[in-house]
Amino acid sequence: MCGIIGYIGENNAIDFLHYGLKKLEYRGYDSAGVAYFNKNQLTVYKKVGQVDNLFDEKLLKVNSNIGIGHTRWATNGKISTENSHPHQSFSKTITLVHNGIIENCTELKNKYLKGINLQSETDTEVVANLLEFFYLKNHHKLDSIKILMSLLKGSYALAILFNDDCENIYFLKNRSPLVIGCGNNCNFISSDTLGFEKYTSKYIEIDDFEFGYINKKNMEIFDKNSKKITKNVKDCANFQKINNKMQFEHYMLKEIFEIPDAIKNTCELYKNFESIKIINKNLFNKIKRIKLIACGTSYHASLIGEKYFREIGFDAYTEIASEFLYNKQIWQKDTLYIFISQSGETADTLSCVELCKKHNAKTLCITNVPTSRITKICDYTLPICCGPEIAVASTKAFNGQVCSLLVLSKYLQFIKKINIKKKKLNKKDTHSTSINKLISKIIKISKSININTFIRQVKPLTQMVKESKNVFFVGKDYDYVLALESALKLKEISYINSVAYPSGELKHGTISLVDNNTLTFAYITEKKLSSKTLNVINQIKSRGGKVVVISPFIELQKFENIDYFIKLPEVNNYFYPIISIIPMQILSYYVSVSLGNNPDKPRNLAKSVTVE
Ligand code: F6R
């Protein structure tokens, strides 16, 4: 849940650390810190607050050609300078930054570090002291790292400086992401290629239980048996395109404007559906049941997916990842487990994949990050092509995930039909027919989405929402899921309490909260259900509440009990979940900004939740 960065080269490390940490701030922004060598002297500088707060006049004056840095999302220990990284060992032999959680930290501390007075509440300081303990014994850096690695349980990506070596940055990793950026007379180490992509597109992915070091010109990487390994250098030039805010005030707004492209690019990729390696006909032939597992916004996309799969006759269920682990699971061979994760790094979701793997279950992930851990541990990956999502609140990825689930469900329907007819799939069958038609339709819809039209409609509501203490969202069926996602979007960046209910459920208790200070948004995208939600609107109005309707059906505008109407474009029923959320993504953004919040970095949150 943190970002780590390291630079060694001929230029000033401070500038590279500053750039890298800014780019990694999406991983956490409670506090930040750096450690650097200056004339063989190692200095640690850290502060509570965001990265720009750290890089003050004093730090920007420093000149150094080797350093490591960290941006934190507090897990072990409160937000404080003491708990910020880098952490140092007792006699300052070791200085390190860490992303992850050490699960056996107390046990290791009791066994090896008796009598050591720790300065912070973190597991990371324990790791620094453990490494010092082994290094002072055997005076061999890599051997000490290897011993450390054999003892640590949990997740870690560690970048390490030894105070007697100002020419190398050491590293080791398990379960937390780590990449090396290969520059010209310089090398980087980072949680994500974003940390260095302005300077080099060449990178090497470090796998679990690998360790080694980088210096200005070289690097050495070892596997857990200390065997030196050579790894492929990859190119991230393609990931780089859209990683700055351009003319937008915030990433979130930029990412909302990218929704049409996110939908289009995801669909373009699926044009040749079978060429995406995931699609293994034999796998799908045998599937009778689907379980979808995810967290947050991705969970809401899964709920839509569940409905899509049910429409085509599949037994489908969705579970919140953090609950899946504790619900009694009935393991059946013909169940496909689908994991949805924008980042591919969410710890709760990853633990569920691991549990499924233990039971030999078939696993497929839908993710926006093709290099993420989830793609390494699932049997199959269905990518979405939404481009990097930097703002903490997920927007365009949701639209992409829903698209992906719709196409996948249609593909399954297609396979099922073929099976029923006992026909064999051939190239013509798979590449023609309904799926490509569906894809063309979605692409057409993506081209017709006009974000500015939505902005013009919803911006005038900002004040009304801003002044509300409680906001309700209601809807039925698919619309209820949109209500859930809307409530999450609004609360996470505006801090206004917002709750979603199935339209029919309000009268079973919550309606007691409705009075003339309550604002309710009602989704009506399914014509056959509109009268039901209109009944609920009447119930709210007769208790003095205000109601905004989000719907494609213009005739509803005449309904006297509606205070404000947000018009959606008219599309085929299946497509509403892809586009109907956009007005609330936009409105949440404007409410957040007008309250003086930073929608890209809402309080207490981080983009990738890498702790359970
Ligand atoms: C909400 C949001 C979170 C994430 C959740 C899962 O806007 O961003 O609720 O959706 O933490 O993250 P991923 O999809 O990366 O697994």
Side-chain angles (χ1 to χ4, degrees):
M1 186 59 99
C2 305
I4 69 168
I5 183 82
Y7 167 88
I8 175 151
E10 289 177 340
N11 296 311
N12 191 357
I14 301 303
D15 299 337
F16 295 97
L17 297 181
H18 190 183
Y19 171 87
L21 289 181
K22 283 291 293 172
K23 290 289 177 184
L24 296 175
E25 243 186 337
Y26 75 91
R27 305 179 69 87
Y29 35 82
D30 294 340
S31 57
V34 291
Y36 55 85
F37 276 105
N38 193 349
K39 298 188 187 114
N40 296 343
Q41 183 69 37
L42 186 66
T43 305
V44 171
Y45 193 61
K46 48 194 194 180
K47 273 189 183 177
V48 166
Q50 297 187 8
V51 168
D52 278 338
N53 187 42
L54 175 77
F55 286 84
D56 54 15
E57 229 177 288
K58 184 174 158 203
L59 184 57
L60 289 171
K61 270 192 197 139
V62 171
N63 208 328
S64 158
N65 63 3
I66 170 170
I68 54 176
H70 188 270
T71 176
R72 178 170 189 248
W73 187 81
T75 45
N76 276 14
K78 59 183 174 294
I79 303 167
S80 68
T81 312
E82 294 74 40
N83 289 337
S84 314
H85 300 216
H87 285 283
Q88 292 193 293
S89 56
F90 183 70
S91 45
K92 303 203 181 338
T93 316
I94 309 291
T95 302
L96 52 78
V97 288
H98 171 211
N99 170 33
I101 288 207
I102 305 303
E103 287 156 12
N104 57 343
C105 165
T106 313
E107 189 187 315
L108 292 171
K109 189 165 77 178
N110 294 342
K111 183 160 179 196
Y112 295 98
L113 304 179
K114 277 201 188 98
I116 298 262
N117 195 3
L118 297 174
Q119 309 296 307
S120 75
E121 301 160 289
T122 66
D123 49 351
T124 308
E125 196 188 354
V126 172
V127 177
N129 278 289
L130 276 173
L131 186 57
E132 176 173 277
F133 177 83
F134 300 119
Y135 183 56
L136 294 182
K137 270 190 163 181
N138 69 19
H139 304 287
H140 193 284
K141 297 184 175 67
L142 290 170
D143 282 356
S144 308
I145 289 174
K146 196 182 156 200
I147 299 170
L148 176 73
M149 200 164 77
S150 70
L151 293 173
L152 295 181
K153 287 203 180 112
S155 57
Y156 50 85
L158 289 155
I160 306 161
L161 293 174
F162 285 80
N163 75 343
D164 59 1
D165 179 356
C166 57
E167 295 192 346
N168 296 293
I169 300 174
Y170 294 79
F171 63 83
L172 65 155
K173 99 129 201 154
N174 180 37
R175 300 184 67 179
S176 297
L178 194 67
V179 285
I180 292 177
C182 317
N184 224 345
N185 285 332
C186 68
N187 282 309
F188 299 82
I189 189 135
S190 177
S191 298
D192 185 330
T193 54
L194 282 174
F196 51 72
E197 62 170 22
K198 184 175 161 192
Y199 306 106
T200 177
S201 66
K202 302 277 176 262
Y203 76 100
I204 291 171
E205 246 175 76
I206 302 300
D207 288 311
D208 287 350
F209 301 116
E210 290 177 353
F211 65 103
Y213 61 87
I214 56 168
N215 55 39
K216 200 159 72 174
K217 294 211 156 103
N218 292 311
M219 66 189 70
E220 284 197 310
I221 307 170
F222 303 90
D223 69 11
K224 63 175 171 208
N225 302 317
S226 294
K227 192 169 154 250
K228 197 169 151 188
I229 47 177
T230 313
K231 306 206 66 172
N232 287 343
V233 178
K234 300 183 177 175
D235 198 313
C236 65
N238 284 342
F239 313 163
Q240 289 178 20
K241 280 180 260 157
I242 27 184
N243 285 336
N244 60 57
K245 273 192 282 175
M246 300 191 301
Q247 80 275 26
F248 295 97
E249 201 184 331
H250 295 101
Y251 278 110
M252 184 173 174
L253 188 59
K254 172 178 174 271
E255 287 160 10
I256 289 172
F257 270 90
E258 285 167 357
I259 289 171
D261 278 347
I263 297 172
K264 183 174 135 286
N265 295 341
T266 299
C267 282
E268 296 278 2
L269 178 78
Y270 298 167
K271 264 190 178 158
N272 201 349
F273 205 55
E274 296 222 317
S275 70
I276 315 171
K277 289 235 177 59
I278 68 118
I279 303 304
N280 176 326
K281 282 163 278 179
N282 295 331
L283 164 74
F284 289 119
N285 277 337
K286 292 178 194 141
I287 294 305
K288 295 219 173 72
R289 213 166 296 96
I290 290 176
K291 268 253 165 106
L292 297 116
I293 298 142
C295 308
T297 291
S298 299
Y299 167 71
H300 297 149
S302 310
L303 289 171
I304 301 276
E306 173 187 307
K307 290 181 184 293
Y308 285 151
F309 290 124
R310 285 177 177 225
E311 302 266 5
I312 60 157
F314 266 92
D315 205 2
Y317 294 92
T318 308
E319 284 191 55
I320 290 182
S322 54
E323 286 296 303
F324 177 85
L325 293 171
Y326 308 101
N327 287 341
K328 179 96 192 103
Q329 297 299 332
I330 315 291
W331 300 101
Q332 283 156 317
K333 279 203 172 104
D334 46 13
T335 303
L336 173 65
Y337 292 81
I338 301 183
F339 299 88
I340 305 186
S341 175
Q342 186 284 130
S343 63
E345 264 196 65
T346 303
D348 288 324
T349 311
L350 291 176
S351 298
C352 297
V353 180
E354 278 157 8
L355 182 67
C356 287
K357 301 294 293 178
K358 256 194 212 153
H359 289 85
N360 292 323
K362 297 177 193 77
T363 54
L364 178 142
C365 65
I366 296 179
T367 181
N368 194 30
V369 184
T371 54
S372 60
R373 181 167 170 79
I374 204 161
T375 65
K376 311 244 154 63
I377 58 175
C378 276
D379 300 325
Y380 306 96
T381 298
L382 181 57
I384 55 168
C385 301
C386 300
E389 202 181 59
I390 307 291
V392 163
S394 187
T395 53
K396 60 179 178 172
F398 176 81
N399 310 73
Q401 289 165 341
V402 173
C403 247
S404 176
L405 286 158
L406 176 58
V407 178
L408 182 62
S409 69
K410 292 292 169 190
Y411 183 78
L412 284 181
Q413 184 178 36
F414 171 66
I415 303 242
K416 218 169 133 187
K417 262 190 210 156
I418 300 257
N419 275 347
I420 290 168
K421 290 182 190 157
K422 296 268 180 284
K423 258 174 52 180
K424 267 199 161 174
L425 283 173
N426 64 38
K427 241 190 160 152
K428 192 167 154 278
D429 281 329
T430 54
H431 288 181
S432 56
T433 65
S434 52
I435 295 158
N436 276 355
K437 274 195 207 144
L438 172 83
I439 286 173
S440 307
K441 276 189 199 154
I442 306 179
I443 293 180
K444 203 166 155 202
I445 290 172
S446 75
K447 288 183 182 158
S448 70
I449 297 172
N450 187 330
I451 301 293
N452 281 316
T453 307
F454 282 131
I455 292 181
R456 273 194 293 278
Q457 287 197 69
V458 302
K459 219 175 159 182
L461 294 173
T462 307
Q463 192 64 20
M464 183 162 75
V465 178
K466 191 176 142 182
E467 284 164 1
S468 304
K469 276 224 170 73
N470 289 304
V471 179
F472 294 128
F473 290 89
V474 295
K476 285 187 97 63
D477 195 13
Y478 287 92
D479 289 343
Y480 168 53
V481 184
L482 294 169
L484 284 169
E485 175 56 11
S486 302
L488 176 63
K489 213 72 331 165
L490 181 63
K491 78 179 85 158
E492 70 181 318
I493 57 173
S494 71
Y495 321 139
I496 294 171
N497 183 37
S498 44
V499 195
Y501 291 96
S503 307
E505 188 61 15
L506 213 60
K507 60 182 177 294
H508 293 290
T510 312
I511 201 152
S512 64
L513 293 177
V514 172
D515 61 17
N516 46 12
N517 290 316
T518 337
L519 175 60
T520 303
F521 285 80
Y523 277 98
I524 307 181
T525 67
E526 285 180 77
K527 210 158 214 164
K528 62 177 194 293
L529 302 176
S530 66
S531 63
K532 303 276 180 198
T533 299
L534 287 174
N535 285 344
V536 176
I537 291 172
N538 289 338
Q539 292 159 15
I540 294 168
K541 280 309 285 185
S542 51
R543 284 152 185 90
K546 289 187 279 299
V547 178
V548 178
V549 165
I550 306 173
S551 171
F553 310 125
I554 194 77
E555 61 275 15
L556 294 180
Q557 213 169 356
K558 293 192 212 116
F559 193 64
E560 55 182 351
N561 279 340
I562 295 176
D563 296 284
Y564 197 91
F565 185 80
I566 299 172
K567 168 84 176 71
L568 294 170
E570 272 190 74
V571 292
N572 181 299
N573 259 359
Y574 287 139
F575 302 132
Y576 281 119
I578 303 177
I579 58 167
S580 310
I581 192 66
I582 302 173
M584 276 318 300
Q585 291 169 327
I586 296 172
L587 183 54
S588 305
Y589 168 79
Y590 282 110
V591 172
S592 170
V593 173
S594 79
L595 285 166
N597 304 337
N598 180 349
D600 285 349
K601 292 178 191 153
R603 70 182 182 205
N604 306 341
L605 292 174
K607 186 73 183 157
S608 312
V609 188
T610 57
V611 287
E612 273 178 38

